[in-house]
Amino acid sequence: MVDHLANTEINSQRIAAVESCFGASGQPLALPGRVLLGEGVLTKECRKKAKPRIFFLFNDILVYGSIVLSKRKYRSQHVIPLEEVTTEPLPETLQAKNRWMIKTSKKSFVVSAASLTERQEWISHIEECVRRQLLATGRQPTTEHAAPWIPDKATDICMRCTQTRFSALTRRHHCRQCGFVVCAECSRERFLLPRLSPKPLRVCTLCYRQLAAQKRKEEEEQGSGPQGQLGCLAGAAFAASSGDDEDSDEDREGSGDGDWPGHVEFYTSNVSWSSFPS
């Protein structure tokens, strides 16, 4: 189907329609050989709450964004190369159904579908596209993935010290290495995580000790001594990196999510995976 649709007029029109919905804020999506295979609305678990997001599966990328007006206007476009993607089905619970994780080296997050069948369709389509893309590029599957952030509502206390209770005055933070919800005192350290950012990021005390020990061991094995990056970071361990305490893109983009009526129960909607016919 992919080869059949590549460079056809109908495929070009479908991709142009997606570009139009994202408008000037989105990046161009049309490329020779790129095929739009399907789309659907999934619930994405963001830092503060789960939110509906529109997803588009191409043969080489996965695109998603927030919904302003269904089929008309989307924003906050995110583009993920499929060769970086790994999927992981998650166990069913009474409160959370049809969930799976989309993992990459830079960002990992949990999404859920309207039904178990839809979840399986998404996973199978993504995995097949990933397999084809890796075969075409000759790359190996990604083995190192970013930790998904645990939602704020998952805990009322710091997940490291288990003493500090969060409130309107005591805010939550997230360790960029493990994704745990932690207090300010347990996340005073910063460490350079090159796959996530060129600047040192907030990490919890446990992850900092582990990362520092690993870095020290690597430097000793390389014969570079203990000074290197670790020594530089020690002096700036308590200097906040740029934008580190800001909410994630998902939270900022969700500030106007009133476009999705709060009284609508998403899991009972008829919005589902839609693969385009050949």
Side-chain angles (χ1 to χ4, degrees):
M1 177 180 173
V2 174
D3 295 335
H4 175 69
L5 285 174
N7 304 317
T8 62
E9 182 64 25
I10 185 64
N11 180 61
S12 298
Q13 291 174 356
R14 290 167 179 166
I15 295 178
V18 177
E19 290 179 330
S20 176
C21 287
F22 279 106
S25 63
Q27 69 181 61
L29 299 173
L31 284 178
R34 177 171 287 170
V35 177
L36 177 56
L37 298 175
E39 65 179 77
V41 175
L42 299 172
T43 298
K44 181 177 181 295
E45 295 185 8
C46 303
R47 175 179 177 177
K48 297 189 180 297
K49 63 178 181 179
K51 301 171 184 176
R53 294 288 182 258
I54 183 70
F55 280 77
F56 297 94
L57 178 62
F58 295 78
N59 60 326
D60 62 333
I61 57 174
L62 182 66
V63 177
Y64 71 92
S66 58
I67 303 167
V68 178
L69 186 61
S70 183
K71 301 290 186 180
R72 299 282 297 277
K73 184 174 177 60
Y74 308 125
R75 66 184 178 197
S76 302
Q77 183 192 81
H78 298 259
V79 179
I80 305 174
L82 282 181
E83 61 263 28
E84 300 178 5
V85 171
T86 302
T87 60
E88 178 186 343
L90 298 177
E92 298 284 289
T93 68
L94 291 176
Q95 292 77 26
K97 297 181 180 297
N98 313 318
R99 301 160 69 238
W100 77 96
M101 191 181 302
I102 297 176
K103 302 189 293 185
T104 75
S105 60
K106 294 185 177 181
K107 184 174 184 177
S108 299
F109 54 91
V110 174
V111 294
S112 55
S115 68
L116 186 62
T117 299
E118 184 189 342
R119 180 184 79 162
Q120 189 53 45
E121 288 180 345
W122 269 105
I123 292 177
S124 62
H125 279 86
I126 291 174
E127 289 183 344
E128 177 61 17
C129 288
V130 170
R131 185 189 69 81
R132 288 172 173 264
Q133 189 66 10
L134 289 174
L135 189 62
T137 60
R139 293 183 55 176
Q140 295 297 313
T142 300
T143 57
E144 188 177 16
H145 303 105
W149 282 18
I150 295 176
D152 285 1
K153 65 180 180 181
T155 180
D156 291 327
I157 62 173
C158 173
M159 298 177 72
R160 282 303 177 209
C161 68
T162 68
Q163 300 297 318
T164 302
R165 182 167 294 276
F166 299 119
S167 66
L169 298 179
T170 305
R171 62 170 297 186
R172 294 167 169 83
H173 300 279
H174 279 82
C175 171
R176 270 51 172 182
Q177 175 69 6
C178 67
F180 274 28
V181 182
V182 291
C183 65
E185 188 62 30
C186 288
S187 60
R188 292 173 62 85
E189 312 285 6
R190 302 292 185 273
F191 202 90
L192 184 62
L193 303 171
R195 58 183 166 78
L196 299 182
S197 172
K199 299 179 180 180
L201 298 177
R202 179 188 295 271
V203 293
C204 67
T205 50
L206 177 60
C207 285
Y208 181 81
R209 287 198 298 269
Q210 293 174 343
L211 289 166
Q214 180 181 353
K215 183 65 179 178
R216 187 179 298 110
K217 181 179 179 181
E218 291 174 355
E219 290 179 339
E220 290 173 352
E221 289 176 350
Q222 294 171 1
S224 58
Q227 297 305 312
Q229 173 192 326
L230 185 59
C232 294
L233 280 174
F238 301 104
S241 58
S242 177
D244 185 57
D245 286 329
E246 295 294 327
D247 286 339
S248 68
D249 291 341
E250 295 303 316
D251 294 318
R252 288 196 294 269
E253 76 179 43
S255 61
D257 278 343
D259 304 299
W260 186 273
H263 64 278
V264 174
E265 180 59 46
F266 178 71
Y267 289 108
T268 62
S269 74
N270 58 4
V271 179
S272 63
W273 161 268
S274 172
S275 62
F276 294 118
S278 58

